[in-house]
Amino acid sequence: MYLADEAWPDLESYFESESLALVPLGSTEQHGPHLPEATDHLIAESFARAAAEDTGYLCTPTISVGVSPHHRQFHGTMWADAPAFRDYVESITRNLSYHGIDRVVFVNAHGGNVEHLREVGRRLRDDGTMYAIEWMWDESITDLIEAAFETPGPHGGPKETSLVQYLAPELVHEDRIEDARDGGLREFDESTGRVHGARTFYDAIDNTENGVLGDQTDASAEVGEELFEAALSNLCHLCEWLADQRFEDLLPKAHV
């Protein structure tokens, strides 16, 4: 069920019988010369709405601008300052508790949001309002991604390229795939940008001239479909697990 499509009287039965909602979040930021700036929020919404359809749980509208100042040098990137993002997400998530929701899955597709969603979840849990947990699609299928790509890349690489080729192929500039690889940073690991153990970079452009990492020529819509279905299965199982928990068991443990 997609909340924004429903008239308010038709939502009453959901809130009477269910207490879980999916909240998709992404970003509006550069994803190289070949992918749309909508990449992250397009992916997040696709997962959340598909999971809602498969499970019957409620999906809210998507938060499409995230914490992305590290991509600001590239045209069109939008971002929210981290404190404002946290407060906004917390506020609209608390809105759901007013209607009876006491557990939320943040369906996230932007790495820059992760730590802030975890903080929001902690605030909501610590005051007993609800249990909100962050879910990141690629972190749920790491083995599959490693098997599919030699250099998956954390941003604008073949894993995101494959998903968008599957979900919205009309938005992919296929003629720029090789340019994305050749103008970006193909190899990226924990040693990249580090000097004597210190992480010296703050922005994406410090490491990659065109904003992307990995080898995009490994991408395909067929692989994207495989990744999507595998991650979607994990998301649906997470929702069912969370719905089955006693709310009291999700709250912080008592002081020793």
Side-chain angles (χ1 to χ4, degrees), residues 3-252:
L3 184 150
D5 285 345
E6 302 296 324
W8 72 262
D10 302 320
L11 288 165
E12 182 178 6
S13 61
Y14 182 84
F15 292 120
E16 286 180 343
S17 61
E18 301 289 355
S19 59
L20 186 146
L22 298 112
V23 178
L25 308 97
S27 68
T28 300
E29 64 182 25
Q30 72 83 18
H31 275 78
H34 64 305
L35 291 180
E37 304 223 351
T39 291
D40 286 346
H41 72 253
L42 184 158
I43 290 171
E45 182 168 333
S46 296
F47 275 117
R49 295 190 69 158
E53 183 175 347
D54 287 355
T55 63
Y57 294 119
L58 186 70
C59 175
T60 73
T62 301
I63 298 174
S64 58
V65 175
V67 182
S68 304
H70 49 296
H71 293 293
R72 69 189 187 279
Q73 289 90 348
F74 298 93
H75 302 310
T77 291
M78 301 180 69
W79 68 92
D81 292 333
F85 176 81
R86 290 193 296 267
D87 289 347
Y88 178 72
V89 173
E90 180 180 350
S91 178
I92 65 170
T93 307
R94 284 188 187 277
N95 294 169
L96 295 171
S97 72
Y98 181 81
H99 300 294
I101 297 297
D102 64 16
R103 57 205 77 192
V104 162
V105 178
F106 291 131
V107 181
N108 180 39
H110 173 51
N113 294 340
V114 172
E115 63 181 292
H116 308 294
L117 295 175
R118 292 285 296 171
E119 173 60 24
V120 169
R122 174 175 287 280
R123 293 179 189 177
L124 295 167
R125 178 174 179 259
D126 283 356
D127 67 14
T129 300
M130 66 169 58
Y131 183 84
I133 191 170
E134 185 266 344
W135 179 85
M136 185 86 169
W137 72 272
D138 56 340
E139 292 179 357
S140 78
I141 51 169
T142 54
D143 291 346
L144 186 57
I145 289 171
E146 289 175 4
F149 309 116
E150 184 177 346
T151 54
H155 182 75
K159 60 185 179 182
E160 289 184 320
T161 301
S162 294
L163 271 193
V164 182
Q165 285 173 321
Y166 170 59
L167 296 171
E170 71 280 5
L171 298 180
V172 181
H173 296 275
E174 295 287 348
D175 59 330
R176 300 177 187 172
I177 295 286
E178 291 187 4
D179 291 340
R181 176 198 62 194
D182 297 340
L185 183 65
R186 186 172 180 178
E187 300 285 345
F188 181 93
D189 58 30
E190 285 299 312
S191 67
T192 303
R194 290 185 181 271
V195 177
H196 300 303
R199 179 172 167 168
T200 61
F201 59 92
Y202 283 92
D203 298 328
I205 203 169
D206 296 336
N207 287 321
T208 167
E209 290 184 3
N210 71 1
V212 292
L213 307 154
D215 185 351
Q216 294 76 15
T217 61
D218 284 346
S220 72
E222 292 73 24
V223 174
E225 181 177 12
E226 182 182 3
L227 300 181
F228 185 82
E229 293 300 331
L232 175 61
S233 176
N234 280 327
L235 176 57
C236 291
H237 282 111
L238 174 63
C239 290
E240 298 292 0
W241 171 84
L242 185 55
D244 286 343
Q245 304 307 302
R246 290 196 322 138
F247 183 64
E248 295 77 10
D249 294 338
L250 297 170
L251 296 177

